[in-house]
Amino acid sequence: MKNWKRRDFLIKTTVAGIGLPVLAHNRTYEMSEVNNDSLEVHIFSKHLQFLDFKAAAEVAAEIGFSGIDLTVRPKGHIEPEEVEYNLPRAIEDISENGSSCTLITTAIESASNPLDKKLLQTASEQGIKLYRTNWFRYKNDISMRESLLYYQNQIKDLSILSKKLALVGAYQNHAGTSIGSSLWEVSTLLETADKNFFGVQYDIRHAMVEGALSWPNGLKLVKDQIKTIVLKDYKWVFKNSKWELVNTPIGEGMVDFISYFKLLKKYDIQAPAILHLEYPLGGAEHGEKQLEIDKKEVYAAMSKDLKTIRNLWAKA
């Protein structure tokens, strides 16, 4: 009864206040169920770090997300050093308050690092299925090719550990100068990994930033290794005498979601999707614990983006 009272209170004070549909518990899950014509969308907990696990779960469930991708990394919802105590507590709180958590985002880099191993061991024990690693940087004392081969070995070792723990790891492609701005770099990293237990977290925003016209080639290159996908949007603006990247709500930027979703359907890629909100949201976009805006504005943005994603998916 306590959980129902908490949910009733949430509906009246937040969800209804921003114009979201007031849904019964079962109806929420009907919306979140995955079928052949739908896209399973989880919310990145980075944008809910101003809430505890219980409240985050309630919000995720009411808006209609399939689950939560929990940040288990420095300055995340859970600090890595506290994973043995806080991850079980988080999973319990999330499941008891209407949502689920089978995905985590980490700063893991090495299967030989004791803290990384402890984090993955705990994740496995708590029913986590998929995790994202940290990003790698090119080393200054060796060539770029040698750097790729060095980290290729680390990914291979992580895939071996993941197999032992019944987990699946993923490396995210990310625009910039770190390893992984190009999907060819990511493909090289994965060459020696057990592909059943390690793959790609494919981020269409970063793929299009780096490959404005060639991004379909990158997608095709790694399509069979995609474990999760990230959804977010961006545009270029001319500001202060130069072009700058600006993050936007879904559908208001330059990401060609219709073409992208058509390819996902063509390739039969059914990986879980994770919504990121990187545009200005009073600090929620950066994972701040204290917001500069009313939290209802954050919930409204999440709801709007999720609705837009569903509409674009239906049209593709």
Side-chain angles (χ1 to χ4, degrees), residues 113 164 167 175 214-215 278:
N113 181 298
K164 292 179 180 178
L167 292 169
S214 67
W215 68 267
E278 306 289 351

XYZ file of all heavy atoms in Angstrom, residues 113 164 167 175 214-215 278:
59
model
N 41.484 -4.699 -13.245
C 41.310 -3.699 -12.201
C 40.378 -4.248 -11.130
O 39.229 -4.606 -11.429
C 40.728 -2.412 -12.804
C 40.546 -1.316 -11.774
O 39.784 -1.462 -10.816
N 41.225 -0.209 -11.967
N 32.076 -15.025 -18.334
C 32.071 -15.735 -17.052
C 30.941 -15.254 -16.155
O 30.374 -16.025 -15.373
C 33.410 -15.553 -16.339
C 34.590 -16.240 -17.019
C 35.873 -15.976 -16.262
C 37.056 -16.652 -16.935
N 38.339 -16.363 -16.229
N 27.323 -11.432 -18.526
C 27.053 -10.034 -18.815
C 27.402 -9.745 -20.270
O 28.117 -10.513 -20.912
C 27.892 -9.119 -17.914
C 27.578 -9.098 -16.423
C 28.670 -8.348 -15.671
C 26.222 -8.450 -16.165
N 31.658 11.324 -30.564
C 32.336 12.344 -31.356
C 33.478 12.970 -30.572
O 33.417 13.087 -29.343
C 31.344 13.427 -31.786
N 28.359 9.784 -44.351
C 28.810 8.392 -44.385
C 28.307 7.555 -43.211
O 28.643 6.375 -43.114
C 30.337 8.338 -44.416
O 30.885 8.825 -43.206
N 27.509 8.138 -42.323
C 27.082 7.399 -41.132
C 26.409 6.064 -41.455
O 26.578 5.104 -40.679
C 26.176 8.255 -40.243
C 24.833 8.573 -40.823
C 24.491 9.677 -41.547
C 23.651 7.767 -40.736
N 23.180 9.619 -41.917
C 22.635 8.455 -41.431
C 23.339 6.539 -40.152
C 21.339 7.958 -41.572
C 22.061 6.032 -40.277
C 21.081 6.734 -40.971
N 20.660 15.896 -23.487
C 21.890 16.665 -23.297
C 21.686 18.169 -23.468
O 22.620 18.949 -23.289
C 22.966 16.178 -24.276
C 23.250 14.681 -24.223
C 23.976 14.258 -22.947
O 24.401 15.139 -22.180
O 24.107 13.037 -22.729
